[in-house]
Amino acid sequence: MAYDKFEILTSTAVPLHIENVDTDQIIPARFLKATERKGFGDNLFRDWRYNNDDTPKEDFVLNDTTYKGKILVGGKNFGSGSSREHAAWAVYDYGFRCVVSSFFADIFRGNCLNIGVLPVQVSPEFLEKIFKAVATNPDTEIEINLPEQTITIKASGASESFDINTYKKENMLNGYDDIDYLTKMTSEIQEFAAERPF
């Protein structure tokens, strides 16, 4: 599934100042029956967002209109637990294009990169700077520059670099998933195959 190209994202952020957020909290297991990547955003953090009678919990950040944007800022160890792809689908379907944390579970990180959500891992110190900046002013903008691999708090100019796999970076810059990447190489693959003696 192709997705929008990711180059430079400048957005306000939603702060989820909680550590060890696992995939069952991101999307509870009872919502994993669907096989398409649509509709999961409605149930992102379902048990934290809603009461048993489906009324919104006023104290949860996604229900607080003070905060908005395409960047989700999470605490350390974001996306741990089971390997369900649906957790990344829910993040994307809700409208987030980037998740920032000081540590990501490897499988969750890979699942995000496969569908167009950029996981930006920063130092614990820089993460706290972001949380403080957003708490002080919810309109604080964060710039995620994928070509330069930097994240910047626009108001203060504080910046830090982040790592990303070169292959995944190219895919995100072009809006490719793994199949799209192979498809664009069709002629090269055909030429290679034609040269084989079998």
Side-chain angles (χ1 to χ4, degrees):
M1 180 183 95
Y3 44 77
D4 295 337
K5 295 179 181 180
F6 192 118
E7 294 180 354
I8 298 175
L9 172 65
T10 302
S11 173
T12 51
V14 177
L16 184 66
H17 208 321
I18 302 173
E19 293 188 354
N20 303 312
V21 175
D22 67 40
T23 52
D24 194 54
Q25 292 158 337
I26 296 171
I27 184 74
R30 64 185 181 277
F31 299 111
L32 305 187
K33 296 176 183 177
T35 55
E36 292 188 21
R37 298 178 185 177
K38 299 176 182 177
F40 287 98
D42 293 339
N43 295 308
L44 178 67
F45 299 116
R46 178 74 190 194
D47 294 335
W48 288 352
R49 281 170 70 189
Y50 297 100
N51 296 302
N52 290 335
D53 62 358
D54 292 333
T55 56
K57 295 181 179 180
E58 294 181 5
D59 61 347
F60 187 61
V61 68
L62 292 193
N63 297 327
D64 185 345
T65 56
T66 304
Y67 302 104
K68 57 190 179 300
K70 295 186 176 183
I71 300 171
L72 175 64
V73 184
K76 180 182 179 181
N77 194 28
F78 194 93
S80 57
S82 76
S83 60
R84 65 191 68 167
E85 293 175 294
H86 307 70
W89 298 356
V91 170
Y92 182 89
D93 193 58
Y94 185 84
F96 292 118
R97 291 301 313 279
C98 176
V99 182
V100 180
S101 176
S102 59
F103 182 80
F104 290 99
D106 286 341
I107 295 175
F108 177 79
R109 181 203 307 269
N111 287 340
C112 282
L113 288 168
N114 286 340
I115 65 161
V117 175
L118 180 62
V120 173
Q121 186 166 317
V122 298
S123 66
E125 295 77 17
F126 195 79
L127 184 65
E128 285 307 314
K129 285 184 181 180
I130 296 173
F131 278 129
K132 185 175 181 180
V134 174
T136 301
N137 179 9
D139 291 327
T140 294
E141 290 190 324
I142 310 294
E143 180 189 89
I144 312 293
N145 186 318
L146 180 55
E148 298 295 325
Q149 295 178 216
T150 57
I151 174 172
T152 304
I153 302 170
K154 297 286 284 183
S156 67
S159 185
E160 192 168 278
S161 60
F162 61 88
D163 294 327
I164 183 173
N165 173 280
T166 303
Y167 165 69
K168 292 298 184 183
K169 177 180 178 179
E170 182 180 348
N171 277 1
M172 290 206 70
L173 288 170
N174 289 286
Y176 295 150
D177 65 10
D178 292 333
I179 301 301
D180 295 316
Y181 181 83
L182 289 174
T183 300
K184 79 178 183 69
M185 299 174 62
T186 298
S187 61
E188 297 171 51
I189 293 170
Q190 289 173 338
E191 289 174 12
F192 178 82
E195 295 172 357
R196 300 303 94 192
F198 43 83

